[in-house]
Amino acid sequence: ALIEHCLRFDPHVIAIQEVSLEFIKHIKAILAVQRSYRLCPEKGFSSSAGCWYGVCFLVHLSLKPKIIETTLPSSMGRMLLSLQFEN
């Protein structure tokens, strides 16, 4: 229901954190997502090695961002996922 609620506002980007692979399957099954959005990163989500959850973006198909994954100085193996858009 969360993704469907967000889609009502026709956003360019939806950022989601603490996403599991099961939730990714749910997202990919939503028809409006299939028609209008791409999942970034394509593999489902960005996370530290061995972690069962991560972060991802749904990006409108009209946009072509560069995906940047940055390892953060953390004893927990944290990563920053960001998108870079050209004008």
Side-chain angles (χ1 to χ4, degrees):
L2 172 67
I3 299 301
E4 291 87 345
H5 174 75
C6 292
L7 292 173
R8 285 188 229 155
F9 299 95
D10 195 28
H12 289 104
V13 177
I14 299 172
I16 313 164
Q17 68 180 35
E18 299 191 18
V19 178
S20 67
L21 288 175
E22 187 172 321
F23 192 67
I24 293 293
K25 289 179 190 175
H26 168 73
I27 291 170
K28 288 181 174 182
I30 299 170
L31 190 56
V33 170
Q34 294 171 13
R35 289 182 180 163
S36 302
Y37 292 87
R38 84 171 41 87
L39 187 63
C40 295
E42 258 184 55
K43 65 185 177 186
F45 61 78
S46 176
S47 72
S48 56
C51 191
W52 60 271
Y53 65 89
V55 297
C56 70
F57 294 101
L58 288 175
V59 179
H60 195 273
L61 292 175
S62 65
L63 302 173
K64 309 277 190 264
K66 176 181 177 185
I67 301 167
I68 303 166
E69 291 182 307
T70 305
T71 302
L72 298 174
S74 164
S75 62
M76 297 178 69
R78 300 282 186 200
M79 294 189 70
L80 170 68
L81 180 65
S82 56
L83 301 175
Q84 182 178 23
F85 297 91
E86 293 186 21
N87 292 337

